[in-house]
Structure formats: C-alpha cells, structure tokens
C-alpha cells in the first residue's frame, strides 16, 4: 500500500490586493488542508512510535490531516521556482516577520502583512503547514490532526511529568499541558493522592511536596449575577486541568507527575511535512487526480527558528529528508536559534510545546540528547557515536545560525564541539554562523527599549533581520549554482574565543550594580528509563547519572562585555551598550536565575565621560567613542558595507540599517544625549 495525499483548497484569493512585487508581479493566497493516509507497516514510516497502534481505515491506512497556507506568484513562470517552507512555531507563522520585517500574523492578507516584500520580490513560493500535533485551534494557527494510540481499542496509559511557572499572582488554574493552546493528556484518576505535585525555588532545589488536599484536578467556571455587582464561580472536576487552591506563586517551579491516558501519535508530523513538500516538488496531481496547486518547483528550502529549528534538525536526523521514493525533500535547511537539541517528539505522551530544557523551568525535559552536532562524534559519557547528518545522498545543505542566547540557555557550543568541549570539524555541506551578542528573538519592529517586569535589564535590541535575508540568498546560490557561502564564523577553542565560564567571569566588565549569571545552562546525563530510546519514558523526574555531564562553553567577551568572535550586526560592531544573550530574573520571580523566556540584555553605556566617572563604570562613554551623531552613523554605515562585502548583508539593507541609527538609534536605545 502506498501513501496517499489529497489537497483540499478552502480559500483562494489575491494577496495584498493584487500588489505587484517587482518582476515577480502579483501573488495568490491559498488556504486549505492536506489529508494523508499512510501504511503503518511500510518502510517510509518505520520507527514512528505507536503508529501501529493508531486506528486504521477500511484499507488499513492511518489517516491524519494538516492545515496549510500558500502564497505563490499568480504567474508561476515569473517566480524563481523555489519553495520556501516556514516551519511554523507551535502553529504560528514567523518567516514574514523575520525576513520581511512584517508584523506577526498567522493569516497574512494585506500589503502591510507583506512587510518590505523581500521574499516576494525574490519570487519565492511560500508554504506554511502544520507538523506539530497537539495544537488547539485559535488565532489562525495551522493545526495537525493526529490519531490517538490505543491497545486494541482500550486506552493506553503512562506517566507524564509537566512543569508550570507563572509571572504574576492570581493564577489558580493551569491546563495539564502548561499552555492554553496545547492539548493536555487527561489524567486517569481525579484523586490527587494518585499523583504528585511539588514546587521548588530553583531547578536543583529540593522539591517540596504539596498536600493532595491543597489542589485538585479541576477548573473554574465563572459568570456574573444579573446585578453585575458580584462574580460567581464554580469549581468543576476536570481531567485536563490543575487547580491550586492558594494559587501559583511567581518565582517557583511547580512540577506535576501523574498517570495519563490516550497518547497522541505525534511522529506522523514528520510524515506530514515530508509527504506534503515532496508532493509539491515532484508530483503533478494528488491521489484524487487534482492538479498540484503550485506547479513548477526546482529547489526547496526549509527554515525554522527555536522549536522549529530543533524540529528541522530532528526531521533530517531521523531520515525524513528522503521521501518514500528516496528523493531529497529539502535541498537546504536553515535552523535558527535551535540550540544543540532536537524536538524528540517521536515518543509516547510527548509535550513538544515545552522548551527542550530551559535555564529556569523545564530543566529536566527530554530533548537535548546526543547527538548534538552535524558532524560525527563520540558521546564520552555513553560511548555512543552518531551525528545529525548520516545520509550523504539525501542530507540537505545546512546554514545554521544562532545567537548569544543559545550558548547561555540552549547549550549552543555542543553544535560545533564534541561532548568534552573540543572543536569539531563540520561536514562540507554545513555552515554555522554565530550572530554575536544578539538574543534568541529579535523583533524587527521593536520601537522602544523594553524591560519586562520579571527581569533586571532592558531587553537586547540588536537588529538582525538583514542577516536572515543574506543567509537565504547565500543558501540559494549554494544550492542552485554551487557558489559556496562564507566559511563558518563562530567561537572556537583554536582561536581562544570559546571559553569555560570560569574564564568568562574574569573577562566580563565589573559594571556597577550589574549581577551576572551563575553559569550557562548545564546538561547532566539523565536516565529516563530503559526504553527511552524507543520513545517510552518511565523515570520521572529523571535520574541524574552524571551531574557534571557535557562540557558547555561560552563566547569570549571584550572589555565592554560584547562577544569577540562571530558575525557582528552593525549595532554590535558599533555598540551603544553591552549586549548579552542572558537576562536575570528579579526578586520574586526566581531571583538571580537566567530568565527562562530566552531574553537577552541591553546594558547602556554611560552617555558622557562625567556620567562614567560618577557611576565608576569601566566602559567608555558614548561620547568618548563617537564625538558626534554623524560620527556614529558613519561607523554604522561602514559596518554595514563590510557585512555586504562579506556576504552577510545585502545592498538594500545598508540604508535601512543607517536609517535606524539616526538619532542614536532611538527610540530602540536608551541614549539620553540631546537631540541634534
């Protein structure tokens, strides 16, 4: 039996009011659903956890479906023949936001949603589709509908561990998944004595057991009386919610371990992506004889950031970049800020909404597991030998990009070192670029230096969108014409720019009043049970086998605290402050710990020499560096032009960057100098 795919188009209309994007012309918007039916016993689906326990149709096939959105040239011959796949983060579409400087939007329709038009002017066909099961509908997210595994029709049960944290008081109820947009595995018993709820101050603090009588498997329903003066609530038993009678307290990590039922077969997400992209690239019609809605595609590129960067790495590692006929699915992939982990969704009772190990909460998730690098290496703790890339005929080209945050919060050094921290030469088809001193998520539409209530410092404000655009051009030139991109740029032991935390502490400037982290996120060797490799975890919380674990290193910093080795965005090359990949939680939120939400810091320089003397700041002031605004803007222009020369920025972005630097980069900076 062969896999089947049927494409259902639900909406078809012009995009952006028919606006013409350069030589590509107008674009068309298609929204719909891809319906899949696959043989659970066939080799292309081999190894998917619990697929053999999923319901089958009359033909013996397992069915599932994925929402999608396509933006394509109205005249395909005017496009560039390239498919750009946005691997949506938890069902959300992000490529227009980061490549086009557009507003975040899961249902782009207008010209404003097109941003600066970069992807459209280049002629790409854009595809978003659902690959992650367990996403609940809402906010125009794309949803993957997956089967539930059963044991001959009887429920399958197992143990689930879930962390919870809140930023403010007043939260009494949480979904068992920890998120309102995520599916929760129902408990098999509402009796809290059959589960364990604990809390702890920090990841390695001793767990405090919460009395079973102090919480319930329940939710709150509320309303108002007819006089609108008082609100009435009702407590309703719920197999998918946790109610804490005194409320969740900020600054604590809550951990629930309970017995759940009805695991989702999440591994079909690999198949949904593989078969949809393969169909669009290679087939003229679907299984129902309907024509391919896109037409000519010569090259395919996949991009994912954070969670979806991990998924792309996982997708390639498990061999799904070869379709059911052995053809390459993606010619190139661009994992961004993935850290060293994989999604690890091919397991029973997985919750892939949870971060793959966080600096504060979710510290003991199953996600950052060897192998970490694209290159082959040996795990010195287990003796295993492996790599992300192991299939030369179908492995894609890889441009991997990351920021300072990944070194501090996502074990990023393991991407290019072995497990002992020694430099690891990467395969020829891999490039790794460190975007120095920038943070995990850089909002291209940031309009002011923000300081959320839970962290100590202003948020890192480095503008990195121009680097995305250059990276895509480089990948296309590599895949299409064999033009090799610039060599990898990242800290190394050989250059003495990748260092242990003990050296970094001596390098970072002693900024008055500035607290520093206790260290980067560690990675101990953990034991989740004897069948963890098969996707069946059984030890919760995991046993710590080796506390020191894997070697985690961080980039060396200069006298300003900015990183020494990497691709420097103009704001880093011409700094107005210290920019880090970490930010620390305030008192009452997990005081002193690195913020779990992957925020970085912007620590402004003193404006003048007088201010520097008064505050005893060791860093030179803004005016000592740049005697005038014109001098500052001129240096920004020089830095941008150098990036263009090195192929890390495209020409059109020079004036865009220079324009943002006018008036000392305000309002995105905290410079207090008088306006000229």
């Amino acid at each position: 039996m062969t896999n089947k795919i049927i494409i259902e188009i639900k909406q078809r209309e012009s995009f952006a009011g028919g606006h013409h994007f350069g030589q590509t012309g107008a674009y068309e918007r298609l929204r719909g659903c891809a319906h899949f039916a696959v043989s659970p016993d066939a080799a292309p689906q081999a190894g998917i956890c619990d697929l053999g326990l999923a319901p089958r149709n009359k033909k013996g096939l397992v069915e599932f479906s994925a929402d999608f959105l396509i933006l394509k040239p109205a005249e395909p011959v005017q496009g560039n023949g390239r498919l750009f796949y946005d691997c949506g983060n938890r069902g959300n579409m992000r490529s227009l936001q980061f490549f086009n400087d557009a507003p975040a939007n899961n249902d782009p329709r207008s010209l404003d949603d097109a941003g600066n038009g970069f992807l459209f002017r280049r002629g790409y066909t854009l595809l978003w589709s659902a690959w992650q099961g367990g996403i609940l509908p809402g906010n125009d997210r794309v949803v993957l509908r997956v089967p539930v595994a059963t044991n001959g029709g009887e429920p399958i049960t197992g143990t689930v561990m879930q962390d919870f944290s809140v930023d403010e008081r007043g939260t009494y109820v949480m979904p068992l998944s920890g998120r309102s947009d995520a599916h929760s595995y129902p408990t098999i018993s509402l009796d809290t004595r059959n589960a364990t709820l604990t809390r702890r101050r920090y990841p390695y603090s001793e767990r405090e057991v919460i009395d079973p009588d102090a919480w319930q498997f329940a939710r709150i329903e509320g309303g108002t009386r007819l006089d609108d003066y008082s609100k009435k609530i009702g407590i309703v038993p719920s197999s998918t919610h946790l109610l804490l009678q005194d409320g969740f307290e900020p600054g604590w990590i809550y951990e629930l371990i309970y017995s759940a039922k009805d695991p989702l077969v999440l591994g079909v997400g690999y198949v949904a992506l593989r078969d949809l992209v393969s169909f669009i690239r290679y087939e003229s019609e679907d299984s129902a004889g309907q024509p391919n809605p896109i037409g000519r595609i010569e090259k395919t590129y996949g991009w994912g950031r954070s969670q979806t960067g991990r998924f792309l790495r996982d997708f390639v590692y498990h061999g799904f970049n070869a379709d059911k006929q052995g053809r390459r699915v993606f010619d190139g992939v661009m994992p961004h800020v993935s850290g060293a982990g994989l999604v690890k969704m091919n397991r029973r009772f997985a919750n892939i909404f949870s971060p793959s190990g966080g600096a504060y909460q979710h510290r003991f998730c199953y996600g950052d597991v060897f192998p970490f690098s694209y290159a082959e290496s040996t795990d010195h703790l287990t003796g295993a030998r492996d790599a992300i890339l192991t299939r030369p005929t179908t492995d894609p080209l890889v441009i991997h990009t990351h920021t300072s945050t990944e070194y501090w919060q996502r074990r990023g050094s393991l991407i290019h070192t072995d497990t002992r921290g020694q430099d690891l030469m990467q395969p020829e088809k891999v490039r790794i670029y460190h975007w120095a001193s920038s943070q995990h998520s850089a909002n291209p539409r940031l309009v002011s230096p923000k300081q959320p209530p839970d962290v100590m410092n202003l948020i890192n404000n480095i503008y990195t969108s121009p680097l995305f655009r250059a990276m895509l051009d480089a990948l296309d030139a590599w895949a299409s014409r064999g033009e090799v991109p610039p060599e990898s740029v990242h800290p190394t032991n050989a250059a003495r720019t990748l260092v242990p935390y003990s050296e970094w502490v001596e390098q970072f400037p002693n900024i008055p009043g500035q607290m520093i982290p206790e260290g980067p996120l560690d990675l101990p060797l953990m034991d989740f049970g004897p069948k963890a490799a098969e996707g069946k975890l059984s030890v919760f919380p995991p046993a710590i086998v080796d506390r020191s674990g894997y070697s985690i290193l961080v980039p060396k910093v200069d006298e300003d605290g900015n990183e020494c080795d990497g691709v420097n965005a103009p704001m880093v090359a011409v700094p107005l402050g210290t920019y880090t990949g970490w930010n620390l939680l305030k008192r009452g939120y997990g005081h002193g710990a690195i913020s779990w939400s992957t925020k970085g810091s912007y620590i402004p320089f003193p404006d003048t020499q007088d201010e520097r003397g008064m505050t005893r700041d060791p860093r030179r002031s803004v005016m000592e560096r740049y005697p005038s605004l014109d001098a500052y803007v001129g240096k920004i222009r020089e830095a941008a032009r150098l990036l263009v020369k090195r192929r890390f920025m495209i020409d059109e972005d020079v004036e865009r960057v220079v324009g943002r630097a006018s008036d000392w980069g305000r309002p995105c900076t905290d410079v207090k100098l008088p306006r000229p």
Side-chain angles (χ1 to χ4, degrees):
M1 290 181 287
T2 60
N3 292 5
K4 297 183 181 300
I5 181 172
I6 296 177
I7 302 299
E8 177 188 7
I9 304 296
K10 298 181 179 181
Q11 299 175 7
R12 190 167 198 152
E13 61 187 17
S14 63
F15 172 68
H19 178 83
H20 280 232
F21 295 94
Q23 295 181 349
T24 310
Y27 266 71
E28 189 176 24
R29 174 185 173 278
L30 286 70
R31 191 147 195 162
C33 185
H35 301 271
F36 305 91
V38 304
S39 170
D41 306 315
Q45 287 76 245
I48 293 180
C49 184
D50 289 338
L51 184 60
L53 301 178
R56 308 186 188 197
N57 63 19
K58 294 180 180 180
K59 296 183 179 180
L61 303 178
V62 175
E63 299 179 342
F64 49 97
S65 63
D67 296 338
F68 66 80
L69 174 67
I70 295 170
L71 297 176
K72 71 182 191 71
E75 297 295 335
V77 294
Q78 295 177 204
N80 66 2
R82 273 86 180 123
L83 180 75
F84 181 89
Y85 180 78
D86 178 348
C87 193
N89 190 305
R90 297 169 176 87
N92 298 298
M93 305 170 190
R94 290 291 178 257
S95 56
L96 293 182
Q97 181 183 10
F98 289 97
F99 284 84
N100 284 25
D101 291 0
N105 188 350
N106 288 335
D107 192 27
R109 295 171 180 262
S110 70
L111 185 58
D112 185 54
D113 293 330
N116 60 37
F118 168 75
L119 290 169
F120 306 115
R121 288 183 281 113
R122 284 291 195 269
Y124 283 96
T125 293
L126 277 61
L127 170 66
W128 297 266
S129 70
W131 59 268
Q132 179 182 347
I135 295 174
L136 300 182
N139 303 114
D140 296 313
R141 291 183 292 271
V142 287
V143 174
L144 177 67
R145 299 161 195 85
V146 302
V148 173
T150 67
N151 188 4
E154 294 297 317
I156 292 174
T157 63
T159 305
V160 169
M161 181 180 75
Q162 181 62 43
D163 279 3
F164 308 87
S165 293
V166 298
D167 293 334
E168 58 185 12
R169 297 182 185 277
T171 300
Y172 294 86
V173 177
M174 294 285 283
L176 296 187
S177 64
R179 296 175 59 114
S180 60
D181 56 350
H183 170 83
S184 296
Y185 293 110
T187 178
I188 64 173
S189 171
L190 297 179
D191 188 344
T192 55
R193 291 171 296 182
N194 295 327
T196 302
L197 179 64
T198 63
R199 71 172 194 167
R200 62 192 190 276
R201 178 65 78 177
Y202 297 105
Y204 287 103
S205 298
E206 184 176 353
R207 290 171 169 84
E208 301 175 7
V209 177
I210 298 175
D211 191 293
D213 293 331
W215 63 280
Q216 304 174 53
F217 285 111
R219 68 179 190 274
I220 294 176
E221 291 189 353
T224 57
R225 292 175 53 182
L226 294 178
D227 57 15
D228 288 330
Y229 287 123
S230 59
K231 185 175 182 179
K232 299 296 184 182
I233 65 169
I235 296 177
V236 181
S238 172
S239 62
T240 55
H241 292 82
L242 175 131
L243 186 154
L244 188 58
Q245 292 172 11
D246 291 334
F248 293 87
E249 186 175 347
W252 288 81
I253 303 168
Y254 293 83
E255 180 184 87
L256 175 67
I257 299 175
Y258 71 103
S259 295
K261 64 179 181 179
D262 300 338
L264 302 177
V265 184
L266 296 175
V268 297
Y270 300 116
V271 180
L273 172 56
R274 180 195 67 191
D275 287 4
L276 179 58
V277 174
S278 173
F279 162 74
I280 288 173
R281 179 173 187 176
Y282 294 113
E283 307 302 331
S284 59
E285 61 182 32
D286 67 11
S287 301
Q290 302 174 117
N292 185 324
I294 290 182
R296 178 184 67 98
I297 291 295
E298 299 170 4
K299 298 291 181 182
T300 53
Y301 309 134
W303 174 78
R305 59 169 299 278
S306 192
Q307 179 218 36
T308 55
R310 288 187 281 121
F311 171 68
L312 282 179
R313 285 162 50 89
D314 211 17
F315 178 84
V316 172
Y317 172 64
H318 284 290
F320 287 98
N321 203 50
D323 72 5
K324 57 184 181 291
Q325 295 183 39
R327 300 170 296 190
R328 182 182 289 115
V329 176
F330 288 116
D331 294 288
V333 295
M334 301 174 66
H336 179 61
V337 297
S338 67
L342 306 174
V343 166
K344 290 295 182 183
M345 71 180 186
N346 190 34
R347 55 188 171 90
R348 186 174 289 178
F349 291 112
N351 179 356
I352 49 180
F353 279 83
S354 297
S356 187
Y360 183 57
Q361 82 179 118
H362 304 296
R363 191 65 162 263
F364 304 111
C365 286
Y366 185 75
D368 288 2
V369 179
F370 183 84
F372 310 109
S373 180
Y374 300 99
E376 187 177 27
S377 65
T378 299
D379 183 338
H380 75 280
L381 298 178
T382 68
R385 189 164 182 83
D386 208 345
I388 302 293
L389 301 184
T390 60
R391 300 168 178 84
T393 58
T394 57
D395 283 338
L397 301 173
V398 178
I399 291 185
H400 181 112
T401 53
H402 62 201
T403 71
S404 176
T405 302
E406 283 63 64
Y407 285 98
W408 284 93
Q409 303 186 44
R410 295 293 304 114
R411 299 130 176 174
S413 62
L414 289 171
I415 295 167
H416 52 80
T417 72
D418 64 18
T419 59
R420 295 182 185 271
Q422 298 303 306
D423 293 338
L424 192 59
M425 183 175 292
Q426 299 299 307
E428 280 297 317
K429 58 172 54 179
V430 174
R431 292 294 185 272
I432 300 171
Y433 301 118
H434 169 45
W435 297 359
S437 290
S438 61
Q439 76 165 9
H440 185 80
S441 181
N443 180 2
R445 293 202 164 201
L446 183 70
V447 295
S448 64
K450 295 182 178 180
Q451 184 174 12
D454 61 329
V455 296
M456 296 182 184
N457 300 322
L458 296 172
I459 297 300
N460 188 311
N461 56 5
I462 299 300
Y463 176 57
T464 54
S465 290
L467 305 182
F468 281 117
R469 294 186 273 274
M471 292 296 91
L472 181 55
D473 277 1
L475 179 62
D476 184 42
W478 197 8
S480 301
R481 302 185 296 277
E483 295 180 14
V484 179
E487 291 299 317
S488 295
V489 182
H490 57 76
T492 64
N493 287 285
R496 301 181 66 85
T497 52
L498 189 66
V499 299
Y501 173 75
S502 59
E503 289 187 27
W504 179 90
V505 169
E506 299 300 320
Q507 298 164 357
F508 195 79
N510 185 20
I511 303 170
Q514 180 61 53
M515 187 182 293
I516 62 173
E518 67 164 351
L521 177 64
D522 64 348
L523 183 56
L525 179 64
M526 295 179 282
D527 179 10
F528 288 87
K531 295 185 177 181
E534 302 172 24
K536 298 171 184 177
L537 281 57
S538 57
V539 178
F540 297 103
I544 305 299
V545 178
D546 189 312
R547 177 68 176 79
S548 58
Y550 301 97
S551 178
I552 309 298
L553 305 175
V554 296
K556 177 183 177 181
V557 294
D558 62 18
E559 62 184 5
D560 292 325
N562 290 320
E563 292 169 347
C564 295
D565 197 349
V567 178
N568 288 342
M571 289 178 68
V572 175
V574 190
L576 292 172
T578 298
Y579 308 101
T580 77
W582 48 265
N583 209 322
L584 302 182
L585 294 170
K586 290 181 180 177
R587 187 173 179 82
Y589 293 93
H591 190 210
I594 292 180
S595 169
W596 63 272
S597 55
T598 61
K599 300 181 181 78
S601 295
Y602 159 46
I603 309 169
F605 292 147
D607 288 324
T608 64
Q609 190 171 5
D610 285 348
E611 182 185 351
R612 178 190 179 193
M614 181 62 67
T615 60
R616 300 182 182 180
D617 196 319
R619 304 167 302 163
R620 288 183 299 148
S621 68
V622 172
M623 292 307 296
E624 288 176 281
R625 299 164 188 269
Y626 322 111
S628 68
L629 175 58
D630 287 345
Y632 169 69
V633 173
K635 286 183 176 295
I636 287 286
R637 186 184 296 276
E638 290 176 9
R641 285 177 172 165
L642 178 60
L643 286 174
V644 171
K645 183 178 180 180
R646 296 174 62 199
R647 296 177 61 195
F648 291 115
M649 187 179 288
I650 60 177
D651 285 325
E652 72 176 62
D653 276 318
V654 172
E655 292 308 314
R656 194 172 281 135
V657 166
V658 169
R660 292 172 69 100
S662 64
D663 192 26
W664 299 107
R666 291 181 287 217
C668 292
T669 66
D670 196 39
V671 175
K672 303 298 186 184
L673 294 170
R675 284 180 166 76

